[in-house]
């Protein structure tokens, strides 16, 4: 006979183990909760330092309110369902279950074990549900604040306002999905109880053939599940507006005439089934009535699918265009509205080919600002001539327009940021990284086509300290504490002086004078901050830190802005602005997006699949003190209107933006790129043309450089241009992108996003004649490669210890023609710094090139001497913006230009004949003529 286990002692050991685990769980909760609390304390200090303390508390309240509500409701429903089902099956549960541990039998009571498991599982599911719903707080908050935002128009199928689809429907989907999950779990729980009780009951010593209490619990939970499915089916009707089909997205003829009505029938059948299940639970429960509750919904669903197949196959398909025409029209109209294409105006562009059509005399603003500096080449050059020290870097190049000596010029800007990862290894210590090397310094600015005789950029702003060649353009706060590379926390206003910039044998030092940080205060506050920021071993004990010292955290632009407003989508390319007061400010475009705009087609934006987009907000971050301001530029956007109702202090009207910043706002690249993609299909507003894809457009492609230096074909990027739009009177700063027909390389049109004054935020499309073949970028590249003189010269350069680097090909409207421009650089194998060697210009039927822009213009336009004279004058003023123009008489300039044109022609002829020695002499003569031309204009 085996020896039995001492049950009381075992129970006592089990209780001790439970007590230990409980205490361990409490300690873990305190540690984790305490860390979260400390992190929240630091966050609230950070939000308050920016003036957005109420935004933090409102966000925190919304997050934890959602978490608490859904976690509590989930726990009550699940654990309450368990208790009800357990009570119903209590008499049928086994009294105990014997298990063997080490060969010894141990009898465990079933009911307490089940209760413990149910409590733990319900709590775990409740916490997971609360955490998942917590992340969705913007969806629920928008639903709650919907009445405070504009309503919008009605959709053409259901007659629902736009707010219903943007705010109400997503919240319904979220809540119904939650209810459906709970219903499925409770149903599974009821089935579990039936299985463990054997599905029968013995009453008064007699086994009965029908089941009572076991089926009652299943009947109740099935009724709950069928009601949740009915709600899901009802909401699914509205989701048909987002359904993807071969030709278009949205409700189709079959949906409108069969599916939508059929789904209401299925919904009613599910409600009927729920009623049957509930009545079955209230009376003597029988299993067959549960089958009866499900059958109607299944029957009607299958019947409706059969009818829909018949209508689609035999009524729609034979006459698809006729049947679907009104629904295609809905898709076209609402997709254009969703992406702002209804604001696009259309104009005709003749795309003529003659020199006279380019009209250089009346398009000087365009010609003077053709961007010859490829931004990749400029970045590499600046890293060589302006980094000064190895720990500086130029992470990006921005394009903007500024007043230079009273004239608006297109320029390129780059910030000199500090990259602590590039500090010498011997200098990588806590004091250097946190207290001394705290910021970048300065900015460079150069005209987009300004070159020195050596092929380097003509710099307007440069060096350290910042030097300016233009009297009215100065930088008063060149320190960059907040930027694109500022990924590390720093402490300022300490006893350590901060490194400002190198100055000969010594360094210029400074101390932070802003108020954009968190005061470190006394030892306790400092310790809390150090614990949160992972600096506990150094910060509390540093003698360099005092009560007035400040922590600058979240200095990276994207991290900073997305923490303040995580519900917005941001452009990946912030740009720097020099304000009228000389301060540096970052500008980042912010967007509101949605995937539930009715009848609109979905497109991919990064990792999101969206069908609505607005550039509603411009975010400005001061590069010195980190002040962050959200300006609303599209108050008619219902999504931003709802967020303004939630966070009234976070946003400001665009009218409050300083004028010195407002004039540098620009059309967002991300928006124009997406709009161009959508417009390629949705410029076809005729349903028949849309159905047949008769005039499908793509964004033009160009030759680019791969990571290994090889040539690749890639989609063109938007190009900022300062130009006079055809049909307009003055120059504008616009962003342009050309189109080609699908699977073709010739151009068919181009889109321009406008940035200035009253035209800001609008766009215009210029259509080319469909009867005329206009060369696209790839065709112009082919013409360059096929030019015997050019190809010979490029081949020669590639064989002399250097390689040719071709810049981006620009397609620029000028007058009634298109002007193509491509800079060509020469880069030595051992030098990462490219230098401009050739400028290639082309019209539809002409191609010319020269060592400078002026000489290429002279070669291209030939006898248009007066125009070329003006172009050369303007180009030289840009190259030397600090000098006033005292020009020679026009006749002298014309003679110089004519001589330069002759030398260039001789150089090209001799190169083609292989007489490279004589060609070199002609090239030197050409350079001399150009220098005379330059001197004559000073």
């Amino acid at each position: 006979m085996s020896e039995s286990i001492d049950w009381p002692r075992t129970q006592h050991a089990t209780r001790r183990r439970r007590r230990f685990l409980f205490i361990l769980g409490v300690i873990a909760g305190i540690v984790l909760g305490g860390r979260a609390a400390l992190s929240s304390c630091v966050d609230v200090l950070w939000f308050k330092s920016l003036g957005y303390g109420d935004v933090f508390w409102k966000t925190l309240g919304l997050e934890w309110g959602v978490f608490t509500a859904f976690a509590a409701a989930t726990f009550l429903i699940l654990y309450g369902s368990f208790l009800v089902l357990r009570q119903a099956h209590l008499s049928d549960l086994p009294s105990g279950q014997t298990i063997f541990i080490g060969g010894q039998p141990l009898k465990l009571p079933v009911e307490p074990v089940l209760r413990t498991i149910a409590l733990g599982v319900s709590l775990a599911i409740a916490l997971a549900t609360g955490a998942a719903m917590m992340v969705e707080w913007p969806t629920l908050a928008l639903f709650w604040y919907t009445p405070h935002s504009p309503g919008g128009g009605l959709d053409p199928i259901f007659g629902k306002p736009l707010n219903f689809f943007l705010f109400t429907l997503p919240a319904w989907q979220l809540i119904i999905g939650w209810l459906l999950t709970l219903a499925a779990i409770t149903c599974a729980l009821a089935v579990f109880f039936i299985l463990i009780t054997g599905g029968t009951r013995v009453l008064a010593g007699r086994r009965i053939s029908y089941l009572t209490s076991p089926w009652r619990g299943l009947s109740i939970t099935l009724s709950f599940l069928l009601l949740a499915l009915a709600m899901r089916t009802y909401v699914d009707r509205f989701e048909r507006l987002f359904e993807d089909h071969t030709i278009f997205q949205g409700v189709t003829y079959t949906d409108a005439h069969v599916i939508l009505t059929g789904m209401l029938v299925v919904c009613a059948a599910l409600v009927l089934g729920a009623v049957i299940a509930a009545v079955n639970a209230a009376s003597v429960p029988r299993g067959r009535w549960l089958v009866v509750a499900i059958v109607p919904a299944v029957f009607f669903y299958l019947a409706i699918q059969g009818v829909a197949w018949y209508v689609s196959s035999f009524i729609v398909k034979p006459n698809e265009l006729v049947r679907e025409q009104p629904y295609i029209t809905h898709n076209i109209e609402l997709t254009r509205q969703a992406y702002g294409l209804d604001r696009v105006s259309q104009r005709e562009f003749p795309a003529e080919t003659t020199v006279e059509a380019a009209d250089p005399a009346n398009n000087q603003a365009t010609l003077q600002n053709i961007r010859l500096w490829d931004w990749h080449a400029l970045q590499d050059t600046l890293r060589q001539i302006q980094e000064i020290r190895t720990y500086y870097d130029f992470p990006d190049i921005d394009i903007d327009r500024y007043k230079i000596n009273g004239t608006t010029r297109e320029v390129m800007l780059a910030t000199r940021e500090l990259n602590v990862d590039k500090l010498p290894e011997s200098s990588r210590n806590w004091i250097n990284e946190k207290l001394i090397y705290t910021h970048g310094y300065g900015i460079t600015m150069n005209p987009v086509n300004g070159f020195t005789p050596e092929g380097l950029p003509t710099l307007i702003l440069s060096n350290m300290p910042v030097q300016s060649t233009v009297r009215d353009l100065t930088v008063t706060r060149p320190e960059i504490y907040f930027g694109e590379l500022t990924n590390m926390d720093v402490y300022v206003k300490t006893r350590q002086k901060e490194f400002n910039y190198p100055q000969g044998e010594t360094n210029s030092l400074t101390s932070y004078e802003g108020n954009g940080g968190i005061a470190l205060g006394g030892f306790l506050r400092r310790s809390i901050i150090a614990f949160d920021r992972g600096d506990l071993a150094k910060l509390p004990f540093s003698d360099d830190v005092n009560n007035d010292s400040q922590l600058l955290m979240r200095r990276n632009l994207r991290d900073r802005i997305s923490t303040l407003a995580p519900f917005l989508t941001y452009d990946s390319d912030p740009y720097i602005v020099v304000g009228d007061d000389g301060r540096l400010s970052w500008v980042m475009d912010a967007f509101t997006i949605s995937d539930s705009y009715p009848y609109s087609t979905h497109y991919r934006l990064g990792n999101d699949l969206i069908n609505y987009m607005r550039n509603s907000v411009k975010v400005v971050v001061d590069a010195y003190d980190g002040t962050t301001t959200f300006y609303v530029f599209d108050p008619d956007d219902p999504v931003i209107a709802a967020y303004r109702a939630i966070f009234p202090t976070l946003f400001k009207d665009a009218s409050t933006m300083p004028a010195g910043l407002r004039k540098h706002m620009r059309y967002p690249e991300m928006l124009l790129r997406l709009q161009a993609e959508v417009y390629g299909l949705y410029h076809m507003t005729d349903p028949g043309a849309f159905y047949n894809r008769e005039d499908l457009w793509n964004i033009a492609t160009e030759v680019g450089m791969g990571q290994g230096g090889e040539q690749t074909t890639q989609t063109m990027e938007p190009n900022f241009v300062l130009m006079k739009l055809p049909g307009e009177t003055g120059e504008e700063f616009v962003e342009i992108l050309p189109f080609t027909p699908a699977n073709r390389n010739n151009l068919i049109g181009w889109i321009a996003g406008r940035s200035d004054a009253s035209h800001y935020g609008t766009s215009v499309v210029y259509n080319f004649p469909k009867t005329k073949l206009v060369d696209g970028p790839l065709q112009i590249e082919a013409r360059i490669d096929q030019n015997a003189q050019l190809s010979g010269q490029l081949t020669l350069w590639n064989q002399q210890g250097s390689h040719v680097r071709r810049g981006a090909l620009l397609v620029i409207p000028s007058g009634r023609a298109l002007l193509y421009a491509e800079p060509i650089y020469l880069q030595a194998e051992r030098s990462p710094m490219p230098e401009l060697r050739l400028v290639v210009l082309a019209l539809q039927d002409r191609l010319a090139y020269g060592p400078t822009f002026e000489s290429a213009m002279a070669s291209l336009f030939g006898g248009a001497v007066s125009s070329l004279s003006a172009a050369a004058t303007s180009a030289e003023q840009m190259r030397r913006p600090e000098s006033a123009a005292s020009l020679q008489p026009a006749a002298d300039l014309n003679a110089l230009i004519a001589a330069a044109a002759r030398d260039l022609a001789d150089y090209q002829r001799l190169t083609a004949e292989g007489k490279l020695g004589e060609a070199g002499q002609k090239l030197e003569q050409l350079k001399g003529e150009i220098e005379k031309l330059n001197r004559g204009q000073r």
Side-chain angles (χ1 to χ4, degrees):
M1 182 174 177
S2 63
E3 193 176 307
S4 63
I5 292 176
D6 187 348
W7 178 246
R9 183 178 297 175
T10 303
Q11 285 185 316
H12 180 68
T14 302
R15 282 196 296 269
R16 282 191 303 174
R17 190 179 299 110
R18 289 177 180 173
R19 192 180 301 116
F20 173 76
L21 292 175
F22 175 76
I23 294 172
L24 188 64
V26 170
I27 294 173
I30 291 174
V31 171
L32 295 176
R35 185 174 183 85
L38 291 178
S39 180
S40 295
C41 288
V42 176
D43 280 342
V44 73
L45 292 175
W46 182 74
F47 273 83
K48 284 184 176 180
S49 72
L50 291 171
Y52 297 126
D54 55 337
V55 173
F56 173 83
W57 291 116
K58 189 63 170 288
T59 303
L60 189 68
L62 288 169
E63 288 178 340
W64 284 102
V66 170
F67 174 86
T68 303
F70 281 93
T74 300
F75 178 78
L76 290 175
I77 291 173
L78 293 181
Y79 193 62
S81 299
F82 167 80
L83 293 178
V84 171
L85 291 169
R86 184 206 63 154
Q87 188 63 34
H89 293 267
L90 188 59
S91 60
D92 296 326
L93 289 173
S95 59
Q97 180 69 37
T98 301
I99 63 174
F100 290 89
I101 300 179
Q104 302 298 324
L106 174 61
K107 188 172 184 179
L108 296 177
V110 172
E111 191 275 336
V113 172
L114 286 178
R115 188 170 66 248
T116 302
I117 293 175
L119 180 63
V121 171
S122 297
L123 188 59
I125 294 176
L127 293 176
T129 301
M133 300 299 279
M134 187 180 185
V135 177
E136 301 293 340
W137 70 264
T139 300
L140 299 170
L142 288 174
F143 170 63
W144 185 260
Y145 285 88
T146 296
H148 301 280
S149 58
L154 303 179
D155 84 277
I157 301 299
F158 300 101
K160 295 284 186 181
L162 181 58
N163 278 353
F164 171 80
F165 293 98
L166 293 180
F167 311 130
T168 305
L169 183 60
W172 282 9
Q173 292 170 325
L174 194 63
I175 294 171
I176 292 172
W178 168 68
L179 290 173
L180 193 58
T181 302
L182 292 182
I185 293 174
T186 56
C187 237
L189 189 60
V191 172
F192 170 75
F193 269 103
I194 291 176
L195 292 176
I196 66 171
T197 58
T200 60
R201 164 175 295 181
V202 178
L203 294 175
R206 181 171 60 88
R207 193 179 188 88
I208 58 176
S209 60
Y210 58 88
L211 307 177
T212 55
S213 181
W215 295 110
R216 177 172 288 115
L218 183 58
S219 297
I220 294 172
T221 56
L222 181 63
S223 178
F224 179 27
L225 179 60
L226 292 175
L227 281 176
L229 286 172
M231 290 187 286
R232 176 74 259 181
T233 303
Y234 180 78
V235 169
D236 281 346
R237 296 170 63 248
F238 302 108
E239 295 180 14
R240 304 297 294 190
L241 286 169
F242 319 129
E243 195 79 15
D244 188 17
H245 305 285
T246 304
I247 304 299
F248 66 101
Q249 287 192 4
V251 170
T252 64
Y253 178 92
T254 304
D255 291 334
H257 290 81
V258 179
I259 298 294
L260 296 181
T261 304
M263 292 178 78
L264 281 178
V265 174
V266 173
C267 183
L270 287 168
V271 173
L272 176 62
V275 171
I276 293 173
V279 171
N280 187 52
S283 60
V284 178
R286 298 179 183 274
R288 61 175 174 267
W289 284 107
L290 300 184
V291 178
V292 172
I294 298 173
V295 166
V298 174
F299 171 77
F300 283 115
Y301 174 80
L302 295 176
I304 289 162
Q305 292 300 314
V307 174
W309 173 81
Y310 173 82
V311 171
S312 176
S313 300
F314 299 103
I315 296 178
V316 175
K317 289 296 183 184
N319 305 282
E320 189 170 32
L321 177 56
V322 175
R323 301 294 185 189
E324 302 288 14
Q325 183 167 330
Y327 307 101
I328 294 175
T329 301
H330 296 329
N331 175 242
I332 293 173
E333 291 176 353
L334 289 169
T335 298
R336 289 173 63 89
Q337 290 176 20
Y339 294 101
L341 299 181
D342 55 333
R343 307 177 187 179
V344 176
S345 60
Q346 294 193 55
R347 302 177 186 176
E348 299 300 319
F349 187 79
E352 298 179 10
T353 61
T354 62
V355 171
E356 293 74 18
D359 194 10
N362 293 317
N363 288 275
Q364 290 302 300
T366 301
L367 299 177
Q368 293 167 16
N369 291 283
I370 292 178
R371 179 170 62 86
L372 298 180
W373 268 112
D374 181 87
W375 76 268
H376 295 286
L378 178 62
Q379 185 181 44
D380 290 343
T381 301
L382 291 176
R383 283 172 172 166
Q384 295 301 308
I385 66 174
Q386 280 292 308
E387 275 189 0
I388 313 299
R389 293 290 187 272
T390 57
Y391 40 77
Y392 286 119
D393 197 4
F394 292 95
D396 195 18
I397 305 293
D398 300 316
I399 302 174
D400 207 341
R401 68 284 198 200
Y402 283 81
K403 285 285 186 181
I404 307 296
N405 293 329
T407 303
T408 302
R409 298 295 190 191
E410 185 176 353
V411 298
M412 305 175 81
L413 303 96
T415 55
R416 187 185 293 106
E417 295 200 42
L418 182 72
N419 189 344
V420 294
D421 294 332
K422 291 186 176 182
L423 284 173
E425 197 62 36
S426 58
S427 300
R428 298 292 301 273
N429 57 64
W430 187 83
I431 292 178
N432 278 339
E433 294 181 355
K434 298 286 188 176
L435 307 183
I436 297 179
Y437 291 94
T438 57
H439 59 276
Y441 186 94
I443 188 173
T444 67
M445 177 188 291
N446 61 282
V448 293
N449 60 358
F451 291 86
T452 67
E454 295 77 24
L456 301 178
T458 304
L459 295 172
I460 300 172
L461 297 176
S462 61
N463 299 331
M464 293 186 286
V466 178
Q467 298 173 354
S468 174
T469 61
V470 177
R471 184 183 306 108
D472 298 331
L473 187 62
T474 58
V475 179
T476 58
R477 271 295 179 196
E479 296 88 357
I480 301 171
Y481 284 88
F482 301 86
E484 297 184 77
L485 297 181
T486 47
N487 300 317
M488 183 178 292
D489 298 345
V490 296
Y491 304 104
V492 295
K493 296 187 177 181
T494 67
R495 294 185 178 92
Q496 282 280 357
K497 286 290 187 178
E498 302 169 47
F499 172 77
N500 206 24
Y501 58 86
Q503 194 174 39
E505 298 297 326
T506 61
N507 293 326
S508 173
L509 304 178
T510 187
S511 291
Y512 182 70
E513 299 176 359
N515 294 305
I518 301 173
L520 294 179
F523 181 80
L524 178 60
R525 179 166 173 163
R526 197 184 307 174
S527 298
I528 292 173
I529 292 174
F531 182 80
D532 175 66
R533 307 312 294 175
D535 219 353
L536 197 57
K538 298 285 187 181
L539 178 61
F541 312 104
S542 173
D543 294 333
D544 294 317
V545 177
N546 55 49
N547 292 350
D548 297 325
S549 299
Q550 294 182 354
L551 163 68
L552 301 185
M553 57 182 280
R554 296 194 179 108
R555 299 192 300 138
N556 182 278
L557 296 174
R558 295 172 184 84
D559 183 30
R560 189 176 192 82
I561 295 171
S562 61
T563 302
L564 287 170
F567 43 81
L568 298 177
T569 299
Y570 298 98
D571 198 301
S572 59
D573 183 24
Y575 58 97
I576 196 73
V577 172
V578 182
D580 289 345
D581 57 357
R583 295 182 72 94
L584 301 178
S585 298
W586 294 97
V587 179
M588 182 176 282
D589 287 287
F591 308 91
T592 55
I593 60 174
S594 176
D595 61 355
S596 57
Y597 196 94
Y599 249 127
S600 175
T601 297
H602 288 82
Y603 284 84
R604 184 160 295 281
L605 182 70
N607 296 324
D608 299 310
L609 197 62
I610 68 169
N611 68 352
Y612 172 84
M613 185 178 188
R614 288 289 184 273
N615 175 220
S616 299
V617 178
K618 304 281 187 180
V619 189
V620 178
V621 180
D622 189 285
Y624 184 75
D625 63 21
T627 300
T628 306
T629 311
F630 294 77
Y631 294 100
V632 175
F633 270 68
D634 188 357
D636 296 329
D637 172 26
V639 180
I640 203 62
Y643 280 124
R644 293 189 79 174
I646 301 171
F647 304 108
T649 61
L650 180 60
F651 300 99
K652 293 184 178 181
D653 291 330
S655 58
T656 63
M657 178 180 281
L661 287 175
R662 180 67 184 260
K663 63 186 179 183
H664 291 287
M665 297 300 101
R666 70 188 194 186
Y667 205 93
E669 294 180 67
M670 183 183 290
L671 179 61
L672 186 73
R673 194 181 298 114
L674 182 63
Q675 285 181 324
E677 182 182 356
V678 178
Y679 192 84
L681 174 61
Y682 283 91
H683 72 277
M684 294 181 285
T685 55
D686 176 71
F690 184 94
Y691 176 84
N692 293 306
R693 300 296 197 265
E694 294 177 1
D695 192 22
L696 186 64
W697 295 359
N698 291 328
I699 299 173
T701 55
E702 64 177 347
V703 174
M705 299 292 287
Q707 294 182 348
E710 72 283 358
Q711 289 191 353
T712 60
T713 301
Q714 61 189 26
T715 302
M716 291 191 73
E717 292 295 316
N719 177 36
F720 287 102
V721 180
L722 185 63
M723 61 174 293
K724 184 174 74 172
L725 286 173
E728 301 292 337
T729 56
E731 70 267 17
E732 298 180 41
F733 189 66
V734 298
E735 186 179 12
I736 63 175
L737 201 54
F739 293 107
T740 61
N743 302 317
R744 300 280 298 278
N745 291 328
N746 59 288
L747 293 182
I748 194 64
W750 56 281
I751 185 171
R754 308 174 76 174
S755 302
D756 292 337
S758 59
H759 298 301
Y760 173 81
T762 63
S763 50
V764 57
V765 170
Y766 290 87
N767 298 312
F768 297 166
K770 290 185 171 58
T771 57
K772 184 179 296 185
L773 188 66
V774 181
D775 283 348
L778 291 180
Q779 293 166 320
I780 296 296
E781 294 279 9
R783 285 172 55 187
I784 294 174
D785 292 335
Q786 293 165 4
N787 183 284
Q789 298 172 350
L790 262 178
S791 61
Q793 182 65 71
L794 299 182
T795 301
L796 181 64
W797 280 342
N798 273 323
Q799 296 174 350
Q800 296 179 348
S802 59
H803 70 271
V804 172
R805 182 168 172 175
R806 292 166 71 160
L809 178 70
L810 305 181
V811 183
I812 304 163
S814 176
R816 304 182 307 279
L818 289 177
L819 179 65
Y820 306 86
E822 180 175 282
I824 297 179
Y825 307 88
L826 189 62
Q827 184 170 340
E829 291 181 357
R830 297 184 179 181
S831 171
M833 186 169 61
E835 295 181 2
L836 182 72
R837 281 296 175 260
L838 284 177
V839 176
V840 181
L841 299 177
L843 294 171
Q844 175 70 16
D845 55 359
R846 299 190 67 176
L847 186 143
Y849 61 92
T852 66
F853 177 70
E854 296 91 301
S855 61
M857 286 283 289
S859 178
L860 180 68
F861 288 104
V865 177
S866 60
S867 298
L868 293 176
S869 174
T873 299
S874 300
E876 177 58 18
Q877 288 175 340
M878 176 173 289
R879 288 163 62 108
R880 305 179 184 274
E882 74 281 2
S883 64
S886 59
L887 305 179
Q888 283 188 352
D892 294 340
L893 289 176
N894 294 344
L896 288 171
I897 293 172
R902 286 194 301 272
D903 289 338
L904 178 62
D906 291 340
Y907 166 76
Q908 293 173 338
R909 176 179 55 79
L910 292 169
T911 301
E913 294 173 357
K915 300 176 181 178
L916 299 182
E918 297 178 36
Q921 295 175 1
K922 284 294 179 182
L923 182 60
E924 292 300 320
Q925 293 178 18
L926 176 60
K927 290 180 179 179
E929 297 294 340
I930 293 173
E931 284 300 316
K932 292 179 183 178
L933 180 64
N934 293 339
R935 288 195 299 271
Q937 295 174 37
R938 276 179 245 160

